[in-house]
Amino acid sequence: MAYVREERGWARLILITVSFLFVALMLILPLAQVLSKAFEHGIKPFWEAVSDEYSVKAARLSALTAILAVLLNTFFGIAAAWAITRFAFRGKGFLITIIDIPFAVSPVIAGLVFVMTFGRLGWAYPFLQEHDLKIIFATPGLVLATIFVTLPFVAREIIPVLAARGTDEEEAAVLMGAGLWRTFWKVTLPHIRWALLYGIILCSARAMGEFGAVSVVSGHLRGKTNTLPLHIEILFREYHTLQSFSVATILVIVAILILIARHVVERVGRKEAEYYVR
Amino acid sequence: MSRFFIALLALPLALGWALAPASTAWAAPRELTNISYDPTRELYDEYNKAFTAHWLESQGEEIAIVQSHGGSSKQARTVIEGNEADVVTLALAIDITAIEEAGLIKAGWREEFPDNSCPYTSTIVFLVRKGNPKNIKDWGDLVREGVGVITPNPKTSGGARWNYLAAWAYADRLYNHDEAKVIDFMKKLFANVLVLDAGARGSTNTFVQNGQGDALLAWENEAYLALAETPDQFEIVAPPTSILAEPPVAIVDENADKKGTRDLATAYLQYLYSENGQRIAGKHFYRPSNPAIAQEFKDVFTLSMELITIDDPLFGGWDIAQEKHFNDGGVFDRIYSND
């Protein structure tokens, strides 16, 4: 860190001040505003807004969609990362690129794609009608949209770790007679578990807060397809600013918990990595 | 180690199971979905309770009503795309016509219920600051120098089109149908507009939260909602002339027939015209279409306002008004381009 000390004092001061100011202005201030507005009239109106039947249903729905999406993306992420780093096959580069599509594509487009596929005007609609299935404007649509936007998170975290470790230990395990499944559980998983947890946490954060794609496929049926972010927006548009900010507080708290979990995972993971190196 | 991960996977599965909506399909009551627009939430909250009780009492059947609210045109779009509404209660007839054109609603829905299938109406009024410091009484006061007007953009907001047309109707009467003078008046009006937000909610925010402008042009029911949220800061001014906004209702035939809810949907919309339904509308600042019930709210609504409908020869209905005023290159573009 010697070069920092050699830096001229004022440059250092300005950079640090600007960073803090920027973070305060762009992150802390708006969040503080949410909290202060939510508790403007004390705890009682806040609690009424949060414990409202439809707020609770929205929270449950958000949790359910996030859990299902994270679960499916975890399986997919492990499978994809394993395939990409352990096998040689045609189209590998293509697969790596395509996993990143949700980062590049606007969530609204993702939602529209699902509407155009499964909606009343979509090509799959007659089939769905015949079998009495509902995807769009129902929970499956919400889960699909959430999976789409959170798809890269788990895979992206594991791939570098797996790639960096190489295949030596796994090859040794296989030579010693362990099956593929056993090798995965006993050798691969212990190495990637912190990266995996980290990916799951990021994925959950994104899944809970997803707005754009979910908004398109939801239909905003209160108590049925209204997730927390959608519920917050609707409350706001219906002139219930206080309720809206109160419910938003739930999401802020979840975000803070996720940040803490992230921090812990990062620390513990780093310590363990250092231990292995030693 | 593997136990750690089994737990990691089992936990969300268990949580998911616990969070999944209880499936009691065999005992579930019949469900009616009402897809509505933004500011009707409280109206239908109360109305749904009243109707559910009425239905239980008269038919002995428990029912559940699912509500959806959002921008009117957006809501219509989701119905077209397969959001299975049994009834729609939207802001504009053209939104329901769009659903009709998609084949979900049969032609002739406007005649299915009384008053062009509009159980309640609204109009455009001014929200001004407490005490009305700029003494704004009528549309003419809005073009005075130094009066700041807040309205959303008619290009992007359905509500803003009503504001625009109401002002137009006033000027048309004032200048005896001299369109050049009317356009001149409209230019002055929009020169006084401080902020042209994309939607009605944005404009209300600009006026109420950010404290900009002297008059907000708004639907009467929304002006009352803003008033209720921030009491003692604003008052409502009802200009002598304005426009009659008629939010219509309709049964979505395809869905109601498929789900076997036609009887329920019909009764649901009919009950809006009952004395009880009309009173609930009035209580939530929509003008009841039944004149006798409207009289009961004469302290809330200025019933003497002259309200011009969109079907007046002046406008010739939504399709013509839309094309003349709001399409690209239309009258509004000329008014707002300042040339």
Side-chain angles (χ1 to χ4, degrees):
Chain A
M1 294 305 228
Y3 64 94
V4 176
R5 249 174 266 134
E6 282 158 23
E7 198 71 60
R8 304 243 296 269
W10 56 266
R12 180 188 133 107
L13 193 72
I14 286 176
L15 280 177
I16 293 176
T17 320
V18 165
S19 308
F20 268 105
L21 268 181
F22 191 74
V23 168
L25 209 68
M26 301 303 291
L27 298 177
I28 314 279
L29 201 70
L31 282 179
Q33 183 116 37
V34 170
L35 294 179
S36 80
K37 183 79 198 168
F39 292 102
E40 195 179 50
H41 299 290
I43 194 96
K44 198 164 163 276
F46 167 81
W47 182 247
E48 272 167 15
V50 169
S51 58
D52 173 77
E53 182 194 348
Y54 294 114
S55 301
V56 173
K57 280 188 175 163
R60 281 173 54 147
L61 182 63
S62 271
L64 178 71
T65 13
I67 286 166
L68 287 175
V70 169
L71 209 59
L72 283 161
N73 272 339
T74 305
F75 281 118
F76 164 79
I78 294 173
W82 176 278
I84 285 168
T85 54
R86 293 298 179 259
F87 304 122
F89 55 93
R90 282 177 98 181
K92 191 165 165 175
F94 180 69
L95 184 62
I96 296 175
T97 313
I98 213 127
I99 287 177
D100 279 343
I101 276 188
F103 280 149
V105 163
S106 164
V108 174
I109 295 171
L112 287 176
V113 166
F114 287 120
V115 169
M116 285 333 225
T117 311
F118 302 111
R120 194 171 149 273
L121 309 174
W123 56 265
Y125 190 72
F127 173 83
L128 295 175
Q129 279 293 295
E130 216 171 282
H131 296 82
D132 206 18
L133 293 170
K134 278 206 81 172
I135 293 192
I136 298 302
F137 310 121
T139 315
L142 301 175
V143 177
L144 273 182
T146 311
I147 288 177
F148 184 99
V149 294
T150 57
L151 193 129
F153 285 98
V154 174
R156 274 283 143 204
E157 288 300 320
I158 314 176
I159 290 171
V161 179
L162 275 182
R165 288 210 81 89
T167 52
D168 298 356
E169 290 176 48
E170 279 145 23
E171 274 163 16
V174 172
L175 280 177
M176 279 188 262
L180 199 65
W181 188 240
R182 204 173 145 92
T183 312
F184 174 75
W185 276 113
K186 297 278 183 190
V187 181
T188 313
L189 204 51
H191 289 325
I192 59 165
R193 63 175 174 164
W194 294 112
L196 179 60
L197 254 180
Y198 192 74
I200 290 175
I201 287 169
L202 287 184
C203 189
S204 313
R206 185 82 172 83
M208 281 297 286
E210 175 50 25
F211 179 82
V214 165
S215 173
V216 179
V217 298
S218 151
H220 301 94
L221 299 172
R222 201 150 34 116
K224 292 189 94 178
T225 62
N226 237 5
T227 62
L228 267 187
L230 302 181
H231 189 57
I232 290 166
E233 195 222 4
I234 287 176
L235 283 172
F236 179 72
R237 290 176 56 132
E238 285 166 352
Y239 297 87
H240 295 287
T241 317
L242 183 94
Q243 285 92 322
S244 166
F245 280 62
S246 300
V247 178
T249 306
I250 306 179
L251 276 186
V252 172
I253 291 170
V254 170
I256 291 171
L257 288 178
I258 286 173
L259 273 181
I260 293 172
R262 199 189 113 166
H263 186 71
V264 169
V265 165
E266 253 179 347
R267 279 185 66 137
V268 177
R270 204 182 306 134
K271 261 190 201 147
E272 193 157 292
E274 279 162 14
Y275 174 80
Y276 272 118
V277 170
R278 251 178 260 146
Chain B
M1 178 53 61
S2 62
R3 260 194 220 131
F4 169 71
F5 272 94
I6 287 168
L8 196 72
L9 292 179
L11 186 74
L13 277 176
L15 264 174
W17 180 77
L19 287 166
S23 58
T24 47
W26 50 275
R30 266 207 300 173
E31 214 173 65
L32 184 83
T33 302
N34 175 7
I35 294 197
S36 194
Y37 65 110
D38 269 328
T40 58
R41 189 173 99 119
E42 264 139 40
L43 163 63
Y44 281 107
D45 266 356
E46 186 172 349
Y47 178 75
N48 289 349
K49 281 190 195 118
F51 179 75
T52 310
H54 162 76
W55 189 257
L56 181 64
E57 200 181 302
S58 61
Q59 307 291 321
E61 184 193 359
E62 291 241 22
I63 52 159
I65 298 170
V66 178
Q67 271 303 136
S68 170
H69 301 273
S72 186
S73 305
K74 227 171 80 188
Q75 294 288 80
R77 182 87 213 151
T78 73
V79 174
I80 293 168
E81 281 158 356
N83 202 1
E84 292 181 346
D86 301 280
V87 299
V88 283
T89 53
L90 297 175
L92 296 175
I94 43 166
D95 292 331
I96 300 190
T97 307
I99 305 174
E100 178 196 325
E101 279 162 7
L104 283 149
I105 295 176
K106 290 191 197 112
W109 59 269
R110 290 221 80 163
E111 285 75 48
E112 210 167 339
F113 296 96
D115 303 311
N116 289 328
S117 293
C118 300
Y120 40 75
T121 63
S122 192
T123 185
I124 302 299
V125 296
F126 312 150
L127 193 67
V128 299
R129 310 219 170 259
K130 186 84 186 169
N132 199 356
K134 294 273 168 98
N135 195 28
I136 295 160
K137 291 271 160 54
D138 201 352
W139 294 94
D141 298 320
L142 298 178
V143 300
R144 267 191 285 143
E145 214 167 294
V147 173
V149 178
I150 305 291
T151 174
N153 187 348
K155 287 290 223 184
T156 54
S157 155
R161 287 175 209 168
W162 293 102
N163 299 349
Y164 169 100
L165 294 173
W168 185 283
Y170 163 84
D172 181 74
R173 272 165 174 55
L174 183 69
Y175 297 115
N176 216 1
H177 316 303
D178 184 341
E179 194 165 303
K181 283 183 179 163
V182 174
I183 290 181
D184 205 44
F185 173 87
M186 296 299 285
K187 276 190 176 164
K188 277 191 211 148
L189 175 66
F190 277 90
N192 270 357
V193 171
L194 298 178
V195 184
L196 205 62
D197 284 291
R201 187 64 175 106
S203 284
T204 311
N205 241 2
T206 302
F207 185 77
V208 173
Q209 311 283 350
N210 303 345
Q212 297 208 55
D214 304 299
L216 170 75
L217 311 187
W219 282 51
E220 188 170 48
N221 62 305
E222 294 197 42
Y224 272 106
L225 286 182
L227 205 63
E229 232 208 346
T230 42
D232 301 326
Q233 290 183 39
F234 306 101
E235 53 189 78
I236 287 171
V237 171
T241 328
S242 192
I243 197 153
L244 183 69
E246 297 178 288
V249 301
I251 298 174
V252 185
D253 297 291
E254 187 178 290
N255 294 340
D257 287 340
K258 189 170 74 190
K259 297 200 266 173
T261 50
R262 176 169 285 279
D263 59 327
L264 194 59
T266 310
Y268 180 80
L269 293 182
Q270 267 166 358
Y271 194 66
L272 280 168
Y273 293 89
S274 71
E275 286 194 2
N276 194 16
Q278 290 283 293
R279 270 191 201 107
I280 293 172
K283 205 175 132 188
H284 293 285
F285 311 116
Y286 280 95
R287 296 180 170 217
S289 62
N290 179 339
I293 308 287
Q295 269 304 319
E296 294 175 16
F297 292 92
K298 62 178 193 301
D299 297 337
V300 180
F301 306 122
T302 309
L303 295 172
S304 59
M305 286 169 78
E306 187 198 357
L307 299 179
I308 294 139
T309 70
I310 187 74
D311 296 318
D312 189 278
L314 174 60
F315 300 123
W318 260 117
D319 292 342
I320 293 171
Q322 170 74 32
E323 202 183 315
K324 176 178 175 185
H325 293 279
F326 308 119
N327 278 2
D328 287 335
V331 179
F332 175 72
D333 280 347
R334 274 192 278 146
I335 286 169
Y336 203 61
S337 63
N338 289 328
D339 52 56

